[in-house]
Amino acid sequence: MLTLLGLCLVAFLIIYITHWIMKWRNPKCNGVLPPGSMGFPLIGETLSLIIPSYSLDIHPFIKKRLQRYGPIFRTSLVGRPVVISADPDFNNFLFQQEGRSVELWYLDTFSKIFVHEGDSKTNAVGIIHKYLRSIFLNHLGVERLKEKLLPEIEGIVNKNLCSWSSQESVEVKHASSVMVLNFSAKQMISYDAEKSDDDLSESYTRVLDGLMSFPLSIPGTAYYNCIKHQNQVTKMLRDMLEDLLAENRSFLEELTAEHEAILKNRENPNSSLTWNEYKSMTFTLQVINETLRLANLHQAYCVEL
């Protein structure tokens, strides 16, 4: 009797696990899912993606699946079912539909690293995110590139080429990444790699290594190192901002004076902010734009199934 009961339990368990695996490999969707594989239960195909690639070509994980499934395929990464697209037209359509048909979403690890919780969730403040992106494009967009950045880029490339020519060997992929990062950081947060005691490129690399890792905060793991370097970068930015304030007290005084003038001209000091008052805060707008320029913006677009 016990043997029969045991066999029934084993058979039930096998049926349940098989059903669960089939359900995992074939997630429900209101439409038609693109081709692809969900990999192993829970971990999906994460292990194949996080293997480092030292080629200048696209990552083997992406390249292999593009060849097998085409420019749009489904998979599962760090516990999340996702669709990956390398189709420019489809990606452009997604960007245009942000806030309407699709929402910006980040992997759980990414959200924890950059504290996307509560009101700071990007999908909760889509308008603010678009505004931040517009500010970013104002500094690194096409018009800015034509007017100012092109000669600066040429100068930094020539400088790095001269430096590389005196070395026995150069790891081009890493050296190029460092060059691009340092140039971008100089434009966005006035970071000077030659004068700074902090190696921003090293910290940035460690942060990137942890973005696709499991959120296990254990010493030695990629996620732990990622959090450690993220805190270092945050401290560096905070120190830089405090030195802006320390050296430019007049900015704070002018900002305070602008707001006090608005309160002084009100008939009712407790009344709500009016449109005319908002339009009159010209210096405040400059401070906001400069603060946003000093922000280190990161974006990632994924479509959750």
Side-chain angles (χ1 to χ4, degrees):
M1 184 67 178
L2 291 177
T3 302
L4 179 61
L5 179 61
L7 290 175
C8 291
L9 289 176
V10 171
F12 175 79
L13 184 61
I14 293 175
I15 294 174
Y16 176 80
I17 293 176
T18 303
H19 174 74
W20 182 65
I21 292 176
M22 291 297 296
K23 185 177 180 181
W24 167 266
R25 292 183 175 274
N26 300 277
K28 292 183 178 180
C29 180
N30 294 330
V32 179
L33 289 174
S37 171
M38 304 304 290
F40 295 103
L42 299 180
I43 64 173
E45 296 186 308
T46 307
L47 298 179
S48 300
L49 178 62
I50 63 177
I51 295 175
S53 172
Y54 302 99
S55 171
L56 294 177
D57 200 357
I58 60 177
H59 195 283
F61 173 87
I62 303 294
K63 185 174 182 178
K64 181 178 180 180
R65 283 152 183 79
L66 291 179
Q67 294 172 343
R68 180 182 300 176
Y69 303 119
I72 303 177
F73 60 91
R74 75 173 186 264
T75 183
S76 176
L77 303 175
V78 288
R80 291 281 189 171
V82 298
V83 168
I84 293 181
S85 170
D87 186 307
D89 294 334
F90 180 67
N91 293 342
N92 183 56
F93 172 77
L94 286 182
F95 295 151
Q96 292 176 348
Q97 294 299 313
E98 182 186 336
R100 296 193 291 270
S101 300
V102 297
E103 288 183 345
L104 189 66
W105 172 83
Y106 293 93
L107 292 171
D108 293 346
T109 305
F110 191 100
S111 298
K112 289 182 179 180
I113 292 172
F114 295 101
V115 200
H116 284 177
E117 299 176 352
D119 292 336
S120 65
K121 280 187 175 180
T122 316
N123 58 4
V125 285
I127 296 177
I128 295 178
H129 176 260
K130 290 180 181 179
Y131 179 68
L132 290 173
R133 191 168 64 192
S134 69
I135 295 297
F136 176 83
L137 291 176
N138 285 339
H139 288 280
L140 297 176
V142 177
E143 294 302 321
R144 175 81 170 171
L145 178 65
K146 292 179 181 178
E147 296 175 0
K148 184 179 179 180
L149 296 184
L150 196 57
E152 292 186 16
I153 293 174
E154 182 181 18
I156 195 171
V157 169
N158 289 335
K159 184 176 181 180
N160 277 270
L161 288 176
C162 290
S163 175
W164 297 348
S165 65
S166 62
Q167 302 177 30
E168 293 184 0
S169 63
V170 175
E171 186 181 346
V172 178
K173 182 180 179 180
H174 175 72
S176 301
S177 300
V178 171
M179 177 180 64
V180 173
L181 173 65
N182 289 338
F183 177 80
S184 301
K186 183 176 182 180
Q187 300 301 318
M188 296 173 61
I189 59 174
S190 302
Y191 169 79
D192 192 333
E194 296 180 353
K195 297 180 180 179
S196 177
D197 295 330
D198 300 290
D199 189 346
L200 184 60
S201 62
E202 175 65 19
S203 296
Y204 189 77
T205 299
R206 296 300 174 219
V207 171
L208 289 182
D209 289 342
L211 290 183
M212 295 301 297
S213 63
F214 287 96
L216 298 176
S217 188
I218 301 175
T221 62
Y223 181 77
Y224 178 88
N225 292 330
C226 175
I227 293 296
K228 177 182 176 181
H229 286 275
Q230 186 258 359
N231 290 332
Q232 291 178 357
V233 173
T234 301
K235 183 180 183 302
M236 183 194 76
L237 293 176
R238 184 180 293 113
D239 292 341
M240 290 175 62
L241 287 172
E242 290 177 352
D243 294 338
L244 278 168
L245 291 176
E247 297 175 1
N248 299 278
R249 293 291 181 182
S250 59
F251 291 164
L252 180 60
E253 294 173 359
E254 186 172 349
L255 181 66
T256 303
E258 185 173 75
H259 286 244
E260 289 180 344
I262 291 175
L263 295 175
K264 184 178 180 180
N265 293 329
R266 282 181 176 178
E267 294 182 2
N268 181 6
N270 297 322
S271 62
S272 301
L273 182 69
T274 67
W275 180 251
N276 288 334
E277 289 174 343
Y278 169 76
K279 295 293 289 184
S280 70
M281 292 190 287
T282 55
F283 186 76
T284 301
L285 179 61
Q286 295 178 24
V287 173
I288 292 174
N289 288 337
E290 179 64 10
T291 302
L292 293 175
R293 186 183 73 84
L294 294 174
N296 193 9
L297 305 179
H298 298 268
Q299 304 179 62
Y301 292 89
C302 293
V303 180
E304 183 177 12
L305 298 180

